[in-house]
Amino acid sequence: MTDLDAVLGNAGPTGLKERIAAELAAVRERSLAYTDADDDMLVRQHSPLMSPLVWDLAHVGNYEELWVLREVGGIEPLRPEIDHLYDAFKHPRKDRPSLPLLGPAEARKYISGVRGRVLDVLDQVDLTDPDPLRAAGYVFGLVLQHEHQHDETMLATLQLSRRPGLVRDGELPPGRPAAEPEVHIPAGVFTMGTDTVAWAYDNERPAHRLYLPGYAIDRHPVTNGAYLEFVEDGGYRDPRWWLPQGWEWAERNGVEAPLFWTRDGDTWWRVRFGREEPVPPDEPVQHVSWYEADAYARWAGKRLPTEAEWEKACGGRRYPWGEADPGHLGRWANLGHRAARPAAAGAYPDGASPYGVEQLVGDVWEWTDSWFQPYPGYRCFPYEEYSKVFFGDTYRVLRGGSWATHPSAVRTTFRNWDYPIRRQIFAGFRCARSEE
Ligand SMILES: [Fe+2]
């Protein structure tokens, strides 16, 4: 199947344009919902780790302008004087509140002006053109995913701000215990990455064959209940479980539980979008750093999976359950801010991979043991600042998306990365074990 076939299905270019337009409208509705707040909330910096929300808002419009309007549409810059403000590489997050950013009303006006012209470009463009930005609507996939990724970042900012109101109590299926808590994956060759998913990023390419020895991987992500055993067992006070850098980080910052957790007597509480509630034991743990995940795994006599092990456990499909779009939220995975929390372990038996590994996609991003590195034969496209500048041994790879990730911004080959100390993202983990 070619890239184009994979995206078009039976719809053809006209159907694809309609789908792109619908997805663009949906993502914008989402961005506007997260920024439907008073100006002070939007311009304030809630954490030095994060941009003010109004920066994210104008930045998604600026990115759309650069790629769709200028690169593909050949349209003159609308506001060339603001480009540098929204270039993530010119100003670190901590400095962004002191920049002369567009105010909330101006930012909304700017992004809607861009969007109107983007829809004109969509109308005109030939999606069967072999140019890699045009073919199969790649550039639209780029801006769609980018905006959804920023929406998830905005949710992390909102969680840090402790602003109430974003808890959505959508129904999630109940969990069920695993008869066999680990799944054995036999030794052998598998295909990592993709050449055929049309909107895949450059870092997911090219597909390549890789041999892995046999290993065992947890059927479900590690739950709060299991993680609490580590906490109660003094896991945070025992340097045996920690890498030296992780131990030093935890000591220096007084870390003794996941972010947003507090203890009151015998009960652990968490704050979720301003709402305080007891920590639910059956949910996958989230808001732990890579160092905490790594320490837990060592305490449990296991280790974190490599990203190759994580991907192989998905069974070589676009999603663990097959090729079907997870847009029908609820059956296979917990994605798209249906509820503002992970679903209990075992909630998605239908979403299992052919090996029987569950909840690989959705619920929580999963830390892996791997550094973010290019695949053999990597070719940068369309720009270096998406992936290339982050390759090396600084960032750890996360896989699978979280409850906050939109279905169009995740698949089994999708790679995310962050510093091993980061905890504000919606990240948890599962463990693995080498086998003879
Ligand atoms: Fe961005």
Side-chain angles (χ1 to χ4, degrees):
M1 195 159 41
T2 66
D3 270 16
L4 189 57
D5 293 336
V7 179
L8 297 182
N10 298 323
T14 314
L16 178 57
K17 285 189 179 185
E18 282 167 13
R19 186 189 135 192
I20 289 169
E23 288 212 36
L24 284 170
V27 70
R28 186 51 50 82
E29 196 182 326
R30 184 184 187 197
S31 307
L32 293 175
Y34 293 170
T35 51
D36 182 14
D38 59 50
D39 285 9
D40 177 60
M41 178 75 198
L42 299 179
V43 302
R44 193 176 342 138
Q45 186 164 46
H46 300 283
S47 156
L49 298 177
M50 311 305 276
S51 312
L53 293 163
V54 75
W55 185 91
D56 289 279
L57 191 63
H59 166 78
V60 298
N62 189 243
Y63 186 88
E64 205 168 286
E65 191 195 338
L66 292 175
W67 287 103
V68 181
L69 298 192
R70 297 189 207 170
E71 280 295 317
V72 172
I75 294 170
E76 288 297 306
L78 303 181
R79 305 273 306 258
E81 77 285 2
I82 65 168
D83 283 352
H84 78 98
L85 299 172
Y86 298 104
D87 180 336
F89 286 84
K90 293 237 163 78
H91 308 282
R93 285 178 174 178
K94 66 177 175 44
D95 296 343
R96 290 176 193 164
S98 53
L99 298 172
L101 300 175
L102 301 183
E106 239 187 323
R108 290 189 192 99
K109 192 170 154 220
Y110 167 64
I111 66 170
S112 102
V114 171
R115 178 53 65 81
R117 290 168 175 86
V118 164
L119 295 176
D120 294 341
V121 173
L122 176 62
D123 208 35
Q124 306 291 322
V125 76
D126 175 7
L127 299 182
T128 63
D129 189 317
D131 167 63
L133 279 177
R134 290 172 174 80
Y138 188 86
V139 75
F140 299 99
L142 190 70
V143 301
L144 265 168
Q145 292 180 83
H146 178 254
E147 186 161 348
H148 275 303
Q149 287 168 274
H150 273 275
D151 286 344
E152 181 161 352
T153 301
M154 287 200 268
L155 272 181
T157 306
L158 288 158
Q159 163 68 358
L160 283 164
S161 80
R162 303 191 177 223
R163 175 194 174 205
L166 280 144
V167 173
R168 291 184 187 166
D169 288 315
E171 283 279 307
L172 293 177
R176 48 180 235 311
E180 295 285 340
E182 287 183 330
V183 175
H184 170 71
I185 312 284
V189 173
F190 84 110
T191 301
M192 187 171 188
T194 180
D195 293 326
T196 54
V197 173
W199 289 354
Y201 283 112
D202 58 359
N203 67 42
E204 299 167 66
R205 301 165 187 264
H208 54 288
R209 303 280 285 162
L210 204 61
Y211 172 85
L212 294 181
Y215 61 100
I217 190 163
D218 291 352
R219 188 178 301 274
H220 301 147
V222 171
T223 62
N224 288 324
Y227 196 83
L228 253 175
E229 290 178 34
F230 167 68
V231 177
E232 304 288 357
D233 194 40
Y236 281 87
R237 298 189 301 276
D238 191 336
R240 269 184 305 167
W241 313 129
W242 297 76
L243 288 183
Q245 312 90 297
W247 178 254
E248 195 205 311
W249 163 82
E251 288 253 282
R252 195 172 54 240
N253 295 283
V255 173
E256 48 189 23
L259 188 60
F260 305 115
W261 283 28
T262 48
R263 187 208 291 267
D264 180 20
D266 287 340
T267 311
W268 282 93
W269 294 78
R270 71 172 178 192
V271 178
R272 185 165 62 98
F273 297 103
R275 183 191 283 188
E276 215 171 338
E277 58 193 15
V279 169
D282 296 343
E283 266 181 31
V285 67
Q286 61 175 349
H287 298 302
V288 288
S289 66
W290 182 90
Y291 286 125
E292 290 166 285
D294 175 69
Y296 172 95
R298 204 166 289 111
W299 168 83
K302 301 188 186 185
R303 58 177 175 77
L304 293 178
T306 63
E307 65 167 325
E309 288 172 335
W310 188 94
E311 189 170 325
K312 183 177 179 182
C314 293
R317 298 156 155 188
R318 181 175 182 138
Y319 304 105
W321 54 85
E323 300 301 316
D325 194 301
H328 307 90
L329 298 177
R331 170 146 181 224
W332 295 301
N334 176 21
L335 291 161
H337 196 175
R338 179 181 174 78
R341 60 181 176 85
Y348 295 99
D350 290 351
S353 78
Y355 292 113
V357 185
E358 299 178 20
Q359 285 167 294
L360 287 156
V361 164
D363 297 302
V364 286
W365 286 103
E366 298 182 25
W367 287 110
T368 73
D369 194 49
S370 302
W371 298 114
F372 185 49
Q373 298 280 10
Y375 290 159
Y378 164 82
R379 279 179 39 215
C380 175
F381 177 78
Y383 64 110
E384 293 195 348
E385 291 80 8
Y386 184 73
S387 309
K388 196 177 170 196
V389 300
F390 297 101
F391 290 142
D393 53 5
T394 306
Y395 300 93
R396 297 283 183 176
V397 172
L398 300 115
R399 292 299 201 103
S402 76
W403 59 264
T405 308
H406 190 268
S408 65
V410 74
R411 51 206 159 256
T412 55
T413 56
F414 190 98
R415 307 170 77 197
N416 187 7
W417 62 94
D418 214 328
Y419 290 115
I421 60 170
R422 288 291 181 252
R423 312 204 291 165
Q424 85 281 5
I425 52 177
F426 305 108
F429 64 100
R430 76 180 71 216
C431 298
R433 213 159 39 79
S434 300
E435 288 186 334
E436 294 310 307

